[in-house]
Amino acid sequence: MYQQQNDNSFPELPPFDPEEPARTTHTLSSSRRRLNQYIRGEKIGKGKHGEVYACRTEDANAYTMASQIFFYHAVKAVLKFQAHDKMKLLRRNYQQQSQNGRLPLNSTVNSIRKEIAIMKKCRHGNVVRLIEVIDDPQDEKIYMIMELLPGGEVQWKNAANQPILMLRQVRRILRDTILGLEYLHQEGIIHRDIKPANILYTRDRRSVKIIDFGVAHYTPPSPKSKQAKGKQVEQQNLRSDPYSIDPSLFPKSDLRKRVGTPSFLAPEVVWVSPDGPDVSPSPSVDYLSPSLTNVSPDQTSTTFSTPAPRQRPPITKAIDVWSLGVTFYCLLFGHTPFSAPTENGQSSEFVLYNKVLSTDWNADDFMGTERVPTGGRHPPVSDAEGYAVIQLLDHMLQKNPKHRIDLPELKAHPWVLRDIDNPREWLQLTSPSDDNQTKSNPNWVKNASKKILKLIPGTR
């Protein structure tokens, strides 16, 4: 369970931000406990594609922030080929494969390479950093050496599904995640799996960072200049710029895939056509006005329902705002806003998706460990904190992505800014830098973060 830290428990530390980009090593010298210069420790997690271990390096000063910590990094070990990859290759036309000489984009190894490509680009104080990739052609695994976040994932409920965080803790977790997401979106990256388990504390628990880019998607940001660049120039930039991502790894069709964690997926992701077969996305989708529906026997209050749109809304970065809204709700109330009954120990995803698409969410009477009154789902307009929070949730959990609040607006919301000494300066300091500024000043994360910390009193 999360334990609140005293202001003086840890020294003020700069964010972990190696100045050089993540490197790739193609040779591996390994034993049971060692990978090149890294000494592997205990298992600390398991992701979609592999297991994660703590590790330290023989050079105790390399990429460390404090020499007294024994483990300095996390290493993710991933098998390049899973059993389902072989089955896919057997079903796929061999001649088609031999024309391009590449594995299908949905193979495990390509999923890993997409995750690596995105992580190499990320450089922000609220996003986990990739340090090195060990990819030996002779080895069956790829090893990703990452920043270690010893504070662990955000714990948000107890065994009775009650919240365990204070509202000021919830606000700071939300605020840090907003900053990380705002940076990712500016870089053209949609995370697609924002949830408490993918938000980890730093060692001193003064901030949190976004992790796990296993299902993230990349779309090149719109160029500032309308002049089109030649293909040759673009390929040269890809080779010379360590922060560049090859867009061909991320076809647009990937965005239509239903990936992520079911309880945190946005309505446009779980959408199913009322007529049966899926139809193409449309940029103009009209949502019908909410209508009062009958309540099910297990409900104690009236529920509003919104019919699903007849055409699938476009999948955009707004899906991350929805997932962040669900995460915010979890931190406040200790449970998810949408759930489905379980059968044989498993919930029905179809029922869950139908609720996400068509039913409104309810608000508990109290939020946080302080049990602050919320005023219910539709509280009367007032200066009470409950009204501000429910209003904020309402903006984040809009079924229609066109009506959903965007991250700059969310960041500037009065409740988010409540305990910041100089909100205007904080907003200015946390605005993502453009590519040129970031690359010309590799210490911008450290410099800005030191100033940001001074504007936010106390710790979680």
Side-chain angles (χ1 to χ4, degrees):
M1 183 182 296
Y2 172 79
Q3 299 294 327
Q4 183 180 347
Q5 300 296 323
N6 186 287
D7 286 3
N8 299 320
S9 297
F10 296 98
E12 183 174 316
L13 299 173
F16 181 83
D17 185 40
E19 295 185 8
E20 60 188 63
R23 58 189 180 274
T24 301
T25 303
H26 295 291
T27 57
L28 173 64
S29 174
S30 65
S31 61
R32 184 173 175 272
R33 305 292 292 181
R34 183 183 292 270
L35 302 167
N36 289 352
Q37 74 269 35
Y38 303 101
I39 302 172
R40 192 167 66 179
E42 64 180 1
K43 181 178 175 181
I44 57 176
K46 185 174 182 179
K48 179 182 178 182
H49 293 131
E51 297 177 329
V52 183
Y53 295 84
C55 69
R56 67 181 174 89
T57 178
E58 289 182 329
D59 181 1
N61 295 317
Y63 301 104
T64 63
M65 296 185 294
S67 59
Q68 68 269 24
I69 307 176
F70 184 75
F71 291 115
Y72 306 120
H73 311 306
V75 55
K76 183 176 180 180
V78 190
L79 280 171
K80 296 177 182 177
F81 298 98
Q82 310 271 352
H84 62 268
D85 293 318
K86 298 177 181 178
M87 295 300 296
K88 287 177 183 177
L89 288 173
L90 288 174
R91 292 194 299 264
R92 192 173 284 266
N93 184 285
Y94 176 80
Q95 292 182 351
Q96 179 183 353
Q97 284 296 301
S98 63
Q99 288 176 0
N100 55 37
R102 296 174 65 176
L103 290 169
L105 288 175
N106 59 352
S107 66
T108 300
V109 69
N110 269 306
S111 296
I112 301 166
R113 299 201 191 289
K114 290 194 284 187
E115 182 178 1
I116 291 171
I118 285 177
M119 290 195 69
K120 280 187 173 182
K121 188 176 184 66
C122 293
R123 192 181 187 87
H124 188 273
N126 295 111
V127 179
V128 68
R129 289 297 303 270
L130 178 67
I131 300 168
E132 181 177 0
V133 177
I134 303 176
D135 184 8
D136 189 331
Q138 305 301 317
D139 196 85
E140 63 180 5
K141 294 181 179 180
I142 292 178
Y143 301 91
M144 300 168 60
I145 313 298
M146 298 175 288
E147 169 187 11
L148 180 65
L149 297 170
E153 70 181 60
V154 169
Q155 302 294 323
W156 49 283
K157 64 178 180 177
N158 58 22
N161 290 329
Q162 296 171 332
I164 59 175
L165 295 171
M166 299 177 68
L167 291 184
R168 65 181 180 85
Q169 295 170 312
V170 173
R171 177 165 45 246
R172 296 189 63 172
I173 293 168
L174 175 67
R175 195 160 52 209
D176 283 356
T177 311
I178 290 171
L179 296 184
L181 269 182
E182 185 183 36
Y183 166 79
L184 293 175
H185 287 181
Q186 182 195 257
E187 297 296 328
I189 299 166
I190 305 176
H191 188 276
R192 302 174 84 191
D193 199 17
I194 293 296
K195 57 183 178 181
N198 285 336
I199 301 172
L200 268 60
Y201 289 110
T202 55
R203 183 181 69 89
D204 57 10
R205 290 181 179 261
R206 291 179 65 113
S207 63
V208 297
K209 301 196 179 194
I210 299 171
I211 68 162
D212 197 349
F213 292 85
V215 295
H217 185 83
Y218 172 74
T219 302
S222 301
K224 295 180 179 178
S225 173
K226 294 185 178 181
Q227 294 181 348
K229 296 183 179 180
K231 205 167 190 179
Q232 184 176 2
V233 175
E234 183 179 345
Q235 291 175 347
Q236 288 176 352
N237 290 339
L238 284 173
R239 288 193 297 268
S240 61
D241 183 2
Y243 300 96
S244 292
I245 297 178
D246 183 357
S248 67
L249 286 172
F250 300 89
K252 291 183 179 179
S253 58
D254 277 2
L255 277 177
R256 294 176 63 104
K257 296 178 181 177
R258 191 176 290 161
V259 297
T261 304
S263 297
F264 294 82
L265 297 181
E268 58 268 36
V269 176
V270 303
W271 177 88
V272 177
S273 170
D275 302 324
D278 193 359
V279 294
S280 301
S282 171
S284 57
V285 178
D286 292 326
Y287 283 66
L288 303 180
S289 299
S291 58
L292 191 62
T293 62
N294 295 327
V295 298
S296 60
D298 61 336
Q299 287 178 304
T300 57
S301 62
T302 306
T303 302
F304 285 92
S305 178
T306 305
R310 304 196 69 82
Q311 287 184 307
R312 183 174 190 168
I315 308 297
T316 67
K317 57 190 178 183
I319 65 174
D320 281 344
V321 176
W322 174 278
S323 298
L324 182 59
V326 176
T327 299
F328 184 29
Y329 186 102
C330 291
L331 304 183
L332 291 168
F333 301 119
H335 59 90
T336 58
F338 303 97
S339 60
T342 59
E343 296 180 3
N344 299 323
Q346 294 184 342
S347 62
S348 169
E349 288 189 6
F350 177 79
V351 175
L352 173 63
Y353 294 157
N354 184 60
K355 286 189 173 184
V356 171
L357 273 170
S358 60
T359 64
D360 195 11
W361 50 274
N362 288 319
D364 294 359
D365 293 334
F366 303 96
M367 58 185 182
T369 56
E370 307 100 311
R371 293 183 58 79
V372 175
T374 63
R377 174 64 182 88
H378 300 285
V381 178
S382 69
D383 295 331
E385 187 168 14
Y387 173 77
V389 169
I390 298 302
Q391 178 204 50
L392 185 55
L393 274 172
D394 197 46
H395 290 327
M396 300 174 74
L397 296 178
Q398 286 288 317
K399 307 285 188 187
N400 187 342
K402 293 191 299 183
H403 298 161
R404 207 170 295 155
I405 192 172
D406 60 26
L407 289 175
E409 292 175 307
L410 179 58
K411 187 171 73 170
H413 191 277
W415 189 81
V416 176
L417 298 173
R418 176 166 293 192
D419 57 2
I420 296 179
D421 291 339
N422 189 333
R424 181 175 297 181
E425 183 181 0
W426 182 83
L427 288 170
Q428 183 179 6
L429 285 171
T430 57
S431 296
S433 305
D434 59 39
D435 289 343
N436 292 332
Q437 180 181 350
T438 300
K439 293 173 187 176
S440 62
N441 181 12
N443 289 319
W444 74 273
V445 174
K446 294 178 182 177
N447 297 335
S449 296
K450 288 179 181 178
K451 296 178 182 177
I452 292 168
L453 285 174
K454 294 178 181 178
L455 297 176
I456 306 173
T459 67
R460 285 190 188 82

